[in-house]
Every structure is written in C-alpha cells, then in structure tokens.
Amino acid sequence: MTRRTVRRALVAATVTTLALAPVAACGRSDDAGSGGSAEAGSVAEEATGEIEIWAAAGNGDALRTLGEQFTEDNPEASIKVTEVPWGEIITMNQTAVASGTGPDIVMTGADQTASVIAMGGLAPVPEGVYDEDDFYPAAVASVTGEDAQYSVPWYVETRFLFYRADLAAELGYDAPTTWDELEELSGALAARPGGEYGLSLPRPIENPAQVIVPFVSQAGGEVSDGDSWTFDTPEFVEALDFYKGFFDRGEAPLSETEATFENGGSPLLISGPWMVGTYQDLIDTGAAPEGFTEDSIGYVPLPAGSANNDSYIGGGNLGVFASSDNQDSSWLFLQWLLEDAQQKTLFDLAGSFPSRVESAEYAPIDDSPVMSVLKEQMPNTVETPSYPSWSQIAEQIGIYAERVAHGEVTSEEAAKAIQDQADQIGFGW
C-alpha cells in the first residue's frame, strides 16, 4: 500500500461568513471522481463563493466563530455550517455520494474517515495544505487512504487512566506506570474492605477493540502491517491475555453492574477528558456519592507494557467533498484552520486539543491538570486502523474477546480465528 505525503506551502488569509442552517443538498459538479481515483486539486489564493460545511454535532459554534474571523479577510466568500449528529455522518455521506450532491467540507470522526474515503466521498488533499510532519503521526494516519490523504486532522483526543487517588492513597499506592503496577493496584482496590472491582474495561459486548488495540501496541505489536491484517501474533495474544486477566480475577465486571468510578465500585477507568465534565457536574449538582470530590480523581498517562504506553487516538477530521464545485476555496479555509493561531483559538473556544504539535505548547493547556496529562499522552498514541472494513474487524474482536473472557477459547485460539476472519474480510478498499 502506498501513501502519498502532502507538504505544506504558503499561507492563506481568507474566507467566509457563517450561518447554522438545516441540512440541504447543494448542487455540485458532475465530474467529481471517487476518493481513490480523483486527482488532487489546488488551494485558492483568495476564497470566493459559499463554502458549506457539515460539522459533527457540538462543533458548529466553533466553526461559526472561526468562520467569522476568516471572512474578515475574505469578503467574497461565505460559510454555511450545518450540524450533523455523529451517528448520522456515515449515512448522510452515503446518500450524498449516491446522489452527487453534498457539502463542500465534511467532518468525520477519526474512526469514520476511512469509510467515507472508500465511498469516493472525499477529494485528495492538494500539495501545500499542510505539512504532515507538524502534526501528531497517529492523526495523520487517520486521514490517509490507500493512495493519498483525503482529509486533514483538525483536532485530536485520546484516553488515559482515571484512578481514585483517594482510595489508592488509603492503600499506600501511587498511580501505576506499568502493566504490573496496574494489575497490582487493581487487585488491591478490588480486595479492599467494601471493594468490588478494580479496573473497569469495556465488556466483550462494548467494543473491547478500543482497549485491546492499544494493549497490542503496548506489547510491541500492531494489527496491520499495511499489506495485511496481523492478529495471529504473540503480541496480540499477550494483549488478549492482559485483557482477560482482569475478568479472570474478578476485577472487571462481565455483566452490568451498579459499581461506578464515583461510588468507588470500579475505581480505575480508561477514558478521555470528556469524563471530567461528567464528574464535575455530579459534584456541582450535589448528585455525587458522599465523599466523592475533585480531590478524589487522579488522572495519569496509561501504564506501559513491555514496549510503550500507547493509547487510542480519536478526534475530528475535515475533508473536501469530491463533488464540491468550490474545492479551491474550501482547501484554503482548511489550510487556515490548521495554522497555529487557529488551532489555539479552537482550544479556547471548544476545549478541543490541537492536532498540530507546536500548538499544544500553550499556557492554557499546560495550566490544566487534565489537558496537561492529555498532552503528555498524545505523543504515544495509535490510530484507529484506517481501513473501511475496520468496523467489521472490530466486531470480530468483540466476539472472540467475549469467548476468551468467559474461558471458552484461549487467547491463541482467538487470535487465529480473528486472523482467519480478517483475511476473508480484507481492508475494504
């Protein structure tokens, strides 16, 4: 599989006015190519015309404000933003590709981008939009298709370890930094008087691939070498064994439970910064269990396996729709959004972590206990496998993870079975 890199060129300064509007299809050019075959276009020197954006829910306000700044220097352009529920992004793109109508710019989650590329929905990124070396590698990988890049990484997020710092301190433990320390702390928390579980993991029916893939990387492996899926490996077996161990020891629940992080029943959790707001709301509204305060919560980078402490990267990507008749201006807007100043403004507006590495060197990030941990974790991340068939593969991982957790098959047997299924499914390009 070849991957064409794109390099950043000179600036922009341009585009648009902004309005939130109901979803409506726009007329587009008839000669748009598919995501895997169209030639890359170019970047306008000055933006003109309307640029319509489908933004994932929760991102419209930030794009509206940024668009207003952008159009101050580009009065001949306008931007219209429509928010789309995250769960409807794939379906809306399928409809738009089939009909040849759609927006100029579409936002996808890091785990959705490959599927939209495979539909032929996105145009390849032209030379000069951005320099991939300035961005987190896992973020760049998430926008890369079979033969080119088809989106740009707008913002990123990742997961780290939440732990009940108060309960750990009572037992004389610090935050874990290795697999062994995590297992030890999990066991101690589960065995303490009044304890129930240790580490809360996605149950086998809750997409366990989101933790198993990082575990594989932490063990020194990968699930694809770029030419084929690679599940039947010692590293994948090691990751499954690590996952399975928490269930075997009774430290992670196999069924629904009332044990939560805040009530101390599951005092270890792998999650992201969005959970901080959830816990703060519980505390502020008086709905938190007795004794659960801000000081109860600790967060640190993921504990390391034998190779590293990689976590799963997520985030939001922006691409230009292949059928857009205003691609040059759209690319100019995206180029502008990726500049350092706009990356920091996005953080100020929405708390979205910059995909541009230098933009993370920002006092408001360093001053935030949560965001500073996210910043520490970000260099050690692994992307969602950027293949259209990944959802099918992840489903197979879930099926066999459940059988492993229940002791029906060994990790070795599961790895071979997943490999067989993955070989049949392929990458989906």
Side-chain angles (χ1 to χ4, degrees):
M1 177 175 65
T2 61
R3 300 201 175 206
R4 183 179 67 186
T5 58
V6 292
R7 292 178 174 79
R8 178 175 167 235
L10 299 174
V11 303
T14 41
V15 198
T16 282
T17 67
L18 201 101
L20 288 170
V23 175
C26 301
R28 297 297 177 221
S29 59
D30 296 330
D31 58 351
S34 72
S37 60
E39 292 187 7
S42 59
V43 182
E45 293 187 6
E46 183 174 354
T48 60
E50 181 182 82
I51 300 171
E52 182 180 4
I53 304 172
W54 285 355
N59 292 276
D61 285 347
L63 277 170
R64 179 174 64 244
T65 300
L66 287 162
E68 289 169 351
Q69 296 173 7
F70 186 57
T71 53
E72 289 177 3
D73 295 322
N74 295 269
E76 298 302 315
S78 63
I79 292 180
K80 181 171 71 173
V81 175
T82 300
E83 285 204 2
V84 177
W86 282 99
E88 297 179 15
I89 288 174
I90 296 298
T91 301
M92 287 188 63
N93 276 276
Q94 288 173 330
T95 301
V97 170
S99 64
T101 61
D104 297 293
I105 294 173
V106 63
M107 181 177 173
T108 55
D111 60 344
Q112 299 171 319
T113 306
S115 294
V116 180
I117 294 172
M119 296 174 198
L122 299 175
V125 179
E127 188 83 10
V129 172
Y130 79 117
D131 185 342
E132 65 181 47
D133 292 337
D134 292 337
F135 293 75
Y136 290 105
V140 174
S142 76
V143 301
T144 304
E146 187 177 25
D147 60 347
Q149 292 175 7
Y150 288 89
S151 290
V152 299
W154 186 31
Y155 67 81
V156 294
E157 60 191 21
T158 192
R159 300 171 185 189
F160 40 88
L161 182 69
F162 287 71
Y163 74 105
R164 284 294 298 268
D166 52 348
L167 301 180
E170 289 176 6
L171 298 175
Y173 285 90
D174 295 322
T177 60
T178 66
W179 278 14
D180 287 344
E181 291 177 1
L182 178 60
E183 289 176 325
E184 183 179 357
L185 178 57
S186 177
L189 288 166
R192 79 188 194 280
E196 190 170 359
Y197 297 108
L199 177 63
S200 177
L201 287 169
R203 292 183 293 132
I205 62 171
E206 296 172 332
N207 188 20
Q210 63 188 302
V211 294
I212 292 174
V213 170
F215 288 165
V216 174
S217 185
Q218 291 166 21
E222 55 187 3
V223 298
S224 168
D225 61 9
D227 295 316
S228 60
W229 294 110
T230 53
F231 293 104
D232 189 10
T233 65
E235 293 83 7
F236 190 81
V237 170
E238 184 179 355
L240 276 181
D241 281 341
F242 184 60
Y243 172 80
K244 174 179 182 288
F246 293 98
F247 296 102
D248 284 349
R249 296 186 298 270
E251 297 164 17
L254 271 170
S255 58
E256 290 191 18
T257 175
E258 293 183 0
T260 64
F261 181 81
E262 58 270 24
N263 68 21
S266 293
L268 295 166
L269 173 71
I270 297 173
S271 193
W274 53 87
M275 290 304 301
V276 175
T278 299
Y279 296 138
Q280 192 62 55
D281 287 345
L282 290 174
I283 294 167
D284 292 345
T285 60
E290 183 177 357
F292 183 73
T293 69
E294 293 177 9
D295 294 333
S296 302
I297 310 169
Y299 15 79
V300 292
L302 290 185
S306 59
N308 57 57
N309 74 324
D310 279 353
S311 185
Y312 217 34
I313 196 171
N317 300 328
L318 294 168
V320 172
F321 214 65
S323 60
S324 166
D325 57 9
N326 198 11
Q327 292 192 22
D328 291 2
S329 293
S330 298
W331 286 122
L332 182 59
F333 182 53
L334 296 189
Q335 183 186 63
W336 180 83
L337 286 177
L338 296 186
E339 292 175 357
D340 179 58
Q342 284 71 251
Q343 286 273 286
K344 290 174 177 173
T345 298
L346 177 62
F347 179 80
D348 292 338
L349 291 171
S352 298
F353 197 87
S355 58
R356 189 185 186 97
V357 176
E358 70 171 313
S359 303
E361 301 301 323
Y362 189 39
I365 291 176
D366 292 332
D367 293 343
S368 165
V370 177
M371 288 299 171
S372 60
V373 170
L374 192 153
K375 176 182 174 179
E376 186 178 352
Q377 181 70 68
M378 271 307 307
N380 301 308
T381 50
V382 60
E383 72 275 9
T384 302
S386 189
Y387 302 107
S389 64
W390 173 243
S391 62
Q392 296 172 265
I393 304 297
E395 182 180 1
Q396 292 300 315
I397 293 174
I399 290 170
Y400 284 98
E402 181 174 18
R403 298 189 65 188
V404 167
H406 283 93
E408 297 173 4
V409 297
T410 66
S411 296
E412 289 84 357
E413 291 168 337
K416 291 182 182 299
I418 295 169
Q419 183 70 59
D420 288 344
Q421 292 295 317
D423 287 343
Q424 295 178 45
I425 294 170
F427 286 155
W429 294 121

